[in-house]
């Protein structure tokens, strides 16, 4: 990145240019503030205009995102605001997905709030600001950006969870979520402080350099300590070196672990998952849909950006100082506990909450595998020099691509499922018990079909996108030669079978049980059916058109752990060239559509 | 000149007091205060490391943390007030509406 000279007008134009690169995120953030202002000046009867204004802004952001998404200029990653954020194919996909998920929530949230008599004008604004924070996490290239993005998102969501002032569970869920979330944020911040102490930088590039340096010193320290022990070179200078080197690693490793714990909390991995079912159940259901989709995507993006791309040096990945063994164990616990707890739930919201925990377990496997591959690539570079063995690097890219694909497919299906739950709550109470879903297919065949498609996609049945998500994820993880990881893939497959049980139980209730005497009252308006139609359609379409979707994910993950620059651009352009060689007349911009827009 | 370790010990001590408060106190207000203590412990560490490394990243970070802590306290207090209105105490052990 070339630094502009400190002249007022070039500064201003550089800022404007950077904002242009960040157009989708800037529009969503601006719209959050705009909606706050329009709400302040709107007459009481005109609240429903908030939704139209929000949807207009999100559509603008989506169009802006499309111009960046298809643009090969961003292949190498463009650093904006002096390396604070980065715009690359990965963040471009996340922008589109997050804007679409936010639009899906906005379409339902207003109707739900009006029906349940807690309508308030800030809702759309808060949803936009939370999405802005999530997008910032996707663009993060500095610990400060990561922290601010996570906090912007979390603080808005605390308010959204507690906004249903006329129901006691809402405030209780908000308090539980807030106390645990703020505790995790404080832990995250302490971890960040220690990382800064160890590396002297908050930018990811600086941290990567500092991590490598801390462990090279560490290696020399072993020699020095041995020499000291033998009494040959017992000089003050040598012992100073020992202390300095040990101090760096002694700050770095606790820092990494604290940040890891906080991020695992944010994605609700076991054992930091206790808040999830309570917060999901107590929150207004559209907000639950938002938490299960947007917040999860942001959490996984943070893990990928920080842990897979930055903390993936060989020493930091592998035992004895590595973090991946711990995360593999967490993944094992997460999928097992999530699935077993979901089996014994009769409450649909809690069932879906536990199933979302189980999905995080599968995703963490992909994160571990990607980091392991990158660590191996790092080690082979160090010993062989240059691009010694590129196989590990390609395998790492593939693992990142499969994680990205899985989280997108999961978020779309999850949004659809929770929106259906929100739709079935037309009177003051929600139809949350499984028997209230009996015979839904006879009364509302369209919605029952949409819900079934979303559930089957979450379950991973072949024509749906969820099947390919699981297939590519598990295949990428199984490439790893670590027997513990290969065992975990088998274990994950068994877990998927358990998952099929509780998803199918709901499907069977909808199709084969006799409906209750009193028909469920549903939400007014076309918002919820539209969202379910789009999410179900996408769950099928992304599965049927898997090749273009997978290509885009591959492109986004290509050279994922490279710093932005020409060498990354070269590798991404190489992939584009390979596509054209494979397919002489490429389809015009194989676009991945997004829900709700 | 005070060595960096002293600042680090202070930060770790404050942080542990905060963690202890979150884990042991049952009043939501005390938990919130303990969390603020943890955030400030991190601030002490950030500013101390900023001086150690001779760059300003840590100080800039600390300013943002102050703003975030204020926003978090505002939202947290509002939620605690909402709880207090519905049940006249803010003991977190009494939150039993949502459970398996």
């Amino acid at each position: 990145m070339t630094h502009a000279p400190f002249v007022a007008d070039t500064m201003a134009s550089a800022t404007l240019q950077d904002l242009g690169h960040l157009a989708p995120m800037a529009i969503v953030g601006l719209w959050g503030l705009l909606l706050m202002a329009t709400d302040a000046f709107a007459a009481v009867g005109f609240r429903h205009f908030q939704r139209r204004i929000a949807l207009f802004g999100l559509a603008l952001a989506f169009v802006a995102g499309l111009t960046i998404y298809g643009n090969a200029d961003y292949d190498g990653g463009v650093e904006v605001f002096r390396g604070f954020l980065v715009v690359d194919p990965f963040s471009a996909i996340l922008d589109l997905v997050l804007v679409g998920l936010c639009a899906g929530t906005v379409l339902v949230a207003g109707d739900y709030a009006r029906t349940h008599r807690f309508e308030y004008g800030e809702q759309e604004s808060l949803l936009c600001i939370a999405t802005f924070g999530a997008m910032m996490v996707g663009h993060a290239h500095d610990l400060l950006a990561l922290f601010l993005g996570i906090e912007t998102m979390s603080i808005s969501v605390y308010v959204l969870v507690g906004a249903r002032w006329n129901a006691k569970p809402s405030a209780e869920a908000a308090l539980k979520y807030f106390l645990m979330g703020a505790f995790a944020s404080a832990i995250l911040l302490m971890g960040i402080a220690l990382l800064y102490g160890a590396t002297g930088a908050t930018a990811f590039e600086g941290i990567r350099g500092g991590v490598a340096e801390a462990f090279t010193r560490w290696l020399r320290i072993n020699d020095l300590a041995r020499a000291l022990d033998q009494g040959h070179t017992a000089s003050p200078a040598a012992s100073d070196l020992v202390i300095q080197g040990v101090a760096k690693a002694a700050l770095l490793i606790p820092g990494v672990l604290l940040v890891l714990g906080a991020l695992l909390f944010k994605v609700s991995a076991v054992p930091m998952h206790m808040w999830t079912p309570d917060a999901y159940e107590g929150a207004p259901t559209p907000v639950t849909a938002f938490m299960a989709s947007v917040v999860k995507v942001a959490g996984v993006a943070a893990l990928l950006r920080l842990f897979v791309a930055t903390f993936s040096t060989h020493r930091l990945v592998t035992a004895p100082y590595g973090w991946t063994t711990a995360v593999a164990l967490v993944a094992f616990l997460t999928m097992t506990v999530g699935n077993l707890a979901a089996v014994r739930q009769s409450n649909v919201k809690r069932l879906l909450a536990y199933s979302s925990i189980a999905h995080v377990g599968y995703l963490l496997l992909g994160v571990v595998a990607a980091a392991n591959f990158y660590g191996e690539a790092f080690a082979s570079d160090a010993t062989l020099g240059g691009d010694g063995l590129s196989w590990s690097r390609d395998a790492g890219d593939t693992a990142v691509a499969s994680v990205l694909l899985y989280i997108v497919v999961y978020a779309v299906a999850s949004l659809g499922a929770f929106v259906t739950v929100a739709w079935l709550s037309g009177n003051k109470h929600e139809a949350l018990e499984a028997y209230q879903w009996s015979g839904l297919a006879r009364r509302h065949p369209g919605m029952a079909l949409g819900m079934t498609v979303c559930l089957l996609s979450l379950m991973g049945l072949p024509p749906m996108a969820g099947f390919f998500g699981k297939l590519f994820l598990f295949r990428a993880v199984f490439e790893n030669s670590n027997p513990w990881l290969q065992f975990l893939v088998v274990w994950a497959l068994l877990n998927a079978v358990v998952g099929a049980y509780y998803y199918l139980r709901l499907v069977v209730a909808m199709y084969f049980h006799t409906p209750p005497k009193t028909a469920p009252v549903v939400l007014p308006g076309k918002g919820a059916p539209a969202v379910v139609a789009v999410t179900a359609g996408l769950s099928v379409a992304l599965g049927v058109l898997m090749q273009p979707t997978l290509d885009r994910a591959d492109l986004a993950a290509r050279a994922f752990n490279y710093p932005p620059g020409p060498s990354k651009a070269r590798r991404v352009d190489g992939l584009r060239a390979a596509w054209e060689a494979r397919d002489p007349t490429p389809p015009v911009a194989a676009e991945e559509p997004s829900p709700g827009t | 000149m005070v060595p960096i370790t002293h600042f680090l010990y202070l930060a770790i001590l404050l942080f542990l007091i905060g963690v202890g408060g979150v884990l042991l106190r049952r009043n939501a207000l005390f938990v919130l205060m303990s969390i603020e203590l943890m955030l400030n412990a991190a601030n002490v560490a950030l500013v101390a490391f900023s001086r150690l490394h001779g760059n300003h990243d840590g100080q800039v970070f600390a300013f943002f943390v102050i703003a975030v802590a204020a926003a978090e306290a505002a939202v947290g207090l509002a939620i605690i007030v909402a709880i207090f209105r519905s049940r006249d105490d803010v003991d977190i052990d009494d939150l039993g509406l949502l459970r398996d």
Side-chain angles (χ1 to χ4, degrees), chain B residues 6-23:
Chain B
H6 287 37
F7 292 105
L8 197 54
Y9 293 147
L10 174 67
I12 292 173
L13 185 70
L14 283 176
F15 188 76
L16 290 180
I17 293 173
V19 172
V22 172
L23 297 180

Side-chain angles (χ1 to χ4, degrees), chain A residues 124-194:
Chain A
E124 283 78 12
S125 166
L126 286 168
L127 286 171
C128 283
I129 292 174
T131 310
F132 169 77
M135 291 164 89
M136 195 189 236
V137 174
H139 285 284
H141 203 230
D142 189 300
L143 284 174
L144 184 53
L146 188 86
F147 177 73
L148 287 180
I150 288 180
E151 286 303 293
T152 309
M153 177 180 73
S154 301
I155 292 176
S156 313
V157 176
Y158 302 146
V159 180
L160 286 166
V161 170
R164 192 171 167 184
W165 49 268
N166 55 5
K168 275 190 181 182
S170 176
E172 183 178 322
L175 187 63
K176 281 182 178 169
Y177 185 31
F178 168 76
L179 290 178
M180 301 295 289
F183 185 52
S185 296
I187 289 174
L188 173 71
L189 189 64
M190 195 64 193
I192 286 173
L194 293 183

Side-chain angles (χ1 to χ4, degrees), chain A residues 47-259:
Chain A
R47 286 239 169 99
H48 56 279
F49 276 120
Q50 290 288 91
R51 186 170 85 171
R52 289 188 199 168
I53 300 172
L55 287 176
F56 177 68
L58 290 170
L60 266 185
F62 194 82
V63 172
L66 278 179
T67 62
I68 291 173
Y69 170 75
N71 193 338
D73 292 348
Y74 293 97
D75 277 359
V78 176
E79 288 186 332
V80 291
F81 296 126
R82 294 170 186 266
F84 184 66
L85 300 168
V86 67
V87 184
D88 56 11
F90 179 77
S91 71
I93 286 197
L94 285 186
D95 278 355
L96 290 184
V97 170
L98 290 171
V99 167
L101 294 171
C102 178
T105 314
V106 167
L107 275 169
V108 187
D111 291 338
Y112 184 90
R114 199 170 314 119
T115 308
H116 290 257
R117 295 171 195 284
F118 67 99
E119 194 177 14
Y120 61 110
E122 295 89 353
Q123 183 162 248
E124 283 78 12
S125 166
L126 286 168
L127 286 171
C128 283
I129 292 174
T131 310
F132 169 77
M135 291 164 89
M136 195 189 236
V137 174
H139 285 284
H141 203 230
D142 189 300
L143 284 174
L144 184 53
L146 188 86
F147 177 73
L148 287 180
I150 288 180
E151 286 303 293
T152 309
M153 177 180 73
S154 301
I155 292 176
S156 313
V157 176
Y158 302 146
V159 180
L160 286 166
V161 170
R164 192 171 167 184
W165 49 268
N166 55 5
K168 275 190 181 182
S170 176
E172 183 178 322
L175 187 63
K176 281 182 178 169
Y177 185 31
F178 168 76
L179 290 178
M180 301 295 289
F183 185 52
S185 296
I187 289 174
L188 173 71
L189 189 64
M190 195 64 193
I192 286 173
L194 293 183
L195 286 177
Y196 174 61
T199 60
T202 57
F204 285 179
E205 290 319 311
I207 288 173
R208 200 196 312 248
V211 166
E213 193 211 350
F215 281 108
T216 19
R217 283 203 177 189
W218 182 269
L219 287 174
R220 282 182 57 207
I221 277 158
N222 289 342
D223 298 339
L224 285 170
R226 210 171 299 126
L228 277 177
D229 208 32
Q230 291 160 353
H232 293 310
T233 54
S235 66
S239 64
D240 276 1
L241 262 180
V242 172
I243 299 298
Q244 282 170 11
V246 170
K248 270 205 163 167
L251 291 174
L252 182 69
I253 291 168
V256 169
L257 291 180
L258 287 176
V259 173

